Amino acid sequence: MPEAPVTTTENPGKVLIPIARATISKALGRPYGKTNEDFPWLQEKGASFVTLTQNNRLRGCIGTLEAHRPLLIDVKANAQSAAFRDPRFPALTEAELNITQIEVSLLSAMQPLTFSSEQDALAQLQPGIDGIVFEFGSYRSTFLPQVWEQLPDANIFMGHLKNKAGLHPDFWDEEVKLYRYSVSKWKENDYKRS
């Protein structure tokens, strides 16, 4: 299981955001200044999501639910995937780079939820706090806690999560599994380069 988000004296956002942007910039052939990749905590296993937005609208979001590689590699891989391999969007172009904002989220370990029914499960959700993984057989999806901002009602949130997994929003089965996790997140707007 992944560990809790990193604890460090450095502000992780000031380190991770430039690493994500540099990765995308270099892939597009645009130079980017040096990033600091020497912190020991970047070599610890970590699970991250990289979210791209343009004018507050989603432009790409890819991540890792469980820590299985060094955080540095995870953030770089997810930045590339969010920019160029999110199946919901065409690959990011160099022309879009300057209007694209980056957010990096680090995930805590996932905790299984125990429930007797869908209503019991919904009653346990903590809007704005919980990231949720929905699992049924080969169907799987997740929403970061940030999604509660657009879907604050637990019923609607769960319906969209099931739909994202490829199931009908009203679907339910006693074999459904749910997991919760929390995130530490940093938005690029909070760390503008001078």
Side-chain angles (χ1 to χ4, degrees):
M1 285 300 248
E3 298 301 317
V6 296
T7 304
T8 175
T9 54
E10 298 85 27
N11 182 320
K14 288 185 176 181
V15 176
L16 296 172
I17 295 281
I19 288 170
R21 179 161 288 278
T23 300
I24 295 168
S25 295
K26 288 174 186 172
L28 289 168
R30 189 184 286 184
Y32 190 90
K34 182 169 173 23
T35 57
N36 190 340
E37 300 180 4
D38 299 329
F39 296 109
W41 54 268
L42 288 171
Q43 298 309 315
E44 296 172 11
K45 287 184 179 179
S48 69
F49 267 73
V50 176
T51 304
L52 308 180
T53 57
Q54 293 175 354
N55 300 315
N56 295 316
R57 296 185 66 172
L58 185 65
R59 181 57 179 85
C61 182
I62 299 286
T64 309
L65 288 171
E66 296 185 51
H68 67 279
R69 57 188 172 189
L71 180 59
L72 177 64
I73 293 169
D74 197 66
V75 168
K76 286 183 172 186
N78 291 333
Q80 285 246 8
S81 293
F84 307 115
R85 289 185 283 284
D86 187 326
R88 299 168 290 182
F89 302 97
L92 194 74
T93 64
E94 185 183 359
E96 294 177 278
L97 191 58
N98 287 343
I99 61 165
T100 302
Q101 296 300 309
I102 298 172
E103 180 176 287
V104 176
S105 300
L106 298 186
L107 280 63
S108 70
M110 289 193 292
Q111 302 296 324
L113 285 176
T114 304
F115 46 87
S116 58
S117 66
E118 183 174 17
Q119 287 310 310
D120 182 25
L122 292 173
Q124 294 182 49
L125 301 185
Q126 302 172 90
I129 297 170
D130 290 339
I132 300 294
V133 175
F134 173 94
E135 204 172 87
F136 175 72
S138 62
Y139 299 95
R140 193 173 196 211
S141 62
T142 190
F143 279 151
L144 296 172
Q146 296 90 306
V147 175
W148 289 104
E149 295 168 17
Q150 287 85 43
L151 304 170
D153 178 271
N155 282 301
I156 295 171
F157 183 94
M158 184 64 70
H160 280 266
L161 189 57
K162 289 185 273 189
N163 193 42
K164 183 179 179 187
L167 298 165
H168 191 275
D170 293 330
F171 173 84
W172 190 257
D173 188 279
E174 63 181 23
E175 297 297 317
V176 165
K177 295 177 184 173
L178 297 173
Y179 303 87
R180 75 167 44 136
Y181 57 88
S182 60
V183 301
S184 298
K185 63 182 173 115
W186 301 274
K187 292 184 177 184
E188 187 171 30
N189 282 344
D190 299 332
Y191 304 104
K192 283 290 187 191
R193 291 176 60 165
S194 50

